[in-house]
Amino acid sequence: MQARTLEIYAHLGVVERALELGKRATGANLWAQGRRAARVPLGDIGRGLSPYPFLLILGQDDNERLLGEALRGHGIDVQWSTELVGLAQEADHAKATLKQPDGSTREVTAAWVGGCDGAHSAVRELNRIAFQGAPYEHIFFVADSQATGPMVPDELNVYLWRESFLLFFPMRGIDHWRVVGIVPVELRGQSDLAFEDVVPSIVREAGSLSFQKCTWFSTYRIHHRRAARFRDRRCFLLGDAAHIHSPVGAQGMNTGLQDAYNLAWKLALVTSRQASETLLDSYEDERVPVAQRLLQTTDRAFTLVVSDNPLAGLFRTRILAKVLASAMRFDPVRKLAFRTIAQIGIRYPHSPLSENLDGLPDNAPHAGDRFPWAQLQMSAQGAAEDLFQKLDDTKLTLLLFGQPVPQASMPGFGDSLQILTIPSTPANDQGLARLHVPRPSFYLLRPDGHVGLAGARFEPAAAARYASERLQFATRSRSEC
Ligand SMILES: Cc1cc2nc3c(=O)[nH]c(=O)nc-3n(C[C@H](O)[C@H](O)[C@H](O)COP(=O)(O)OP(=O)(O)OC[C@H]3O[C@@H](n4cnc5c(N)ncnc54)[C@H](O)[C@@H]3O)c2cc1C
């Protein structure tokens, strides 16, 4: 679980439960040919960058349960064993045919369809959207095991050897490890492969390990593919339905959750008739480049990690661990690694929703950026507060630095805007200087926390123009009508 997802979970009200169920990875231990070659401390790797400056290890089953419970809190239940088998799109609605658990079918009419149906997405296939890419040749396994050995408890343990690698993720419970590795070449053709079959190769390469129990074992092939489009009229593709790649860097589920967070506020504005449907075009504009970049970087990293080339093998076992451990001693490298892997560095600078007005220095946050996290005093005498807790993901937020709230009304936003004026205090000035936020400046944040409009002196007229031209707000919002 990456920090950006935990920031989103905080808004959904499920972060405390996720932290309770998960384990913070305090370090990654790199083992080469049976010996611990290096340890990379991860405990507070993102200190000052996020309220969650760590990597959280939490099983996907727990994640799904958490989100399912949150949904139930809103009076909605997941309808399991119900399959989308047909889809027809009309000008103003879509008609879905669902096969129910008893085998009967029923039709559902909906304004919009979110295709969060995984790599074999029916929404994608029924819309004939190509899923371009290819499979990797290796076959992987994942096992839930009870194991003892030299692994450092509660930390990530990565075993590297010339032909392969093995990952041990600490899970809740005693000696409970989720193990991910590559099926040895000699076993690749075997159809009824069991965990016992791969254990001898693990023990041979990783050293004195013993497995007491395996409660789940599965093999799979990994593909790198991207849907040619993330939208077809009233249907959207999100998560693995839109993009799949290697698990290097633990990005897949996190990226899918961010797809959903990107689309959700836009759909909310459109279905409540505050914005026109054109706003939804920005989903593809923003998320396709994110998926493209992700596929490129995970492909490069993965090729290096699994390459059969002897030189790559030598690099993995002799050099990689030491280079990584040395590089991560430097604060700028640690911060860059955290920004990239924790997904807080994802930006939409070229989105039609991103606009910079004059007056911002180059190193200041700009339109498209996730506005940086800070602890700020909201009143001159008040205690420092977590800025992200002040944001409301059902509204836009106008942050004003070094200037008062404008006297003129804010036409065009109706009740979907909150304004926060950040006072000048010694603590705020110091914190904002660290983030390169100048004074005077203003930042109009979208409900997902990314900057929409930014500049020096705030002008209500510029914001009103932004709302109508970029966010496609109706000229008079619903509450003003
Ligand atoms: C070994 C491994 C380790 C990984 N580790 C990480 C990690 O550490 N961090 C990370 O971020 N990601 C990780 N990933 C990736 C992550 O598992 C996926 O990216 C994530 O599961 C995608 O979620 P999704 O909801 O898009 O799709 P899925 O999880 O595939 O869910 C799709 C759902 O749609 C349902 N469905 C399918 N077809 C239909 C239909 N026709 N009608 C109705 N329902 C349908 C399915 O039953 C399923 O419930 C890992 C993947 C692997 C293989």
Side-chain angles (χ1 to χ4, degrees), residues 202-242:
I202 296 179
V203 173
R204 189 173 62 237
E205 301 296 348
S208 52
L209 279 175
S210 79
F211 290 95
Q212 283 80 49
K213 206 162 69 179
C214 173
T215 48
W216 174 53
F217 177 75
S218 178
T219 58
Y220 54 94
R221 285 198 78 170
I222 291 176
H223 296 239
H224 51 115
R225 294 180 187 276
R226 181 173 68 77
R229 287 171 287 133
F230 285 10
R231 180 182 180 187
D232 185 291
R233 292 164 289 164
R234 304 208 142 252
C235 296
F236 296 89
L237 298 178
L238 304 90
D240 279 19

Side-chain angles (χ1 to χ4, degrees), residues 60 64 80 82-84 116-119 122 142 180 220 238-241 247 250-254:
Q60 199 159 323
E64 289 180 8
W80 295 108
T82 305
E83 187 185 354
L84 175 80
C116 309
D117 48 352
V142 56
V180 176
Y220 54 94
L238 304 90
D240 279 19
Q251 301 288 300
M253 181 192 69
N254 289 277

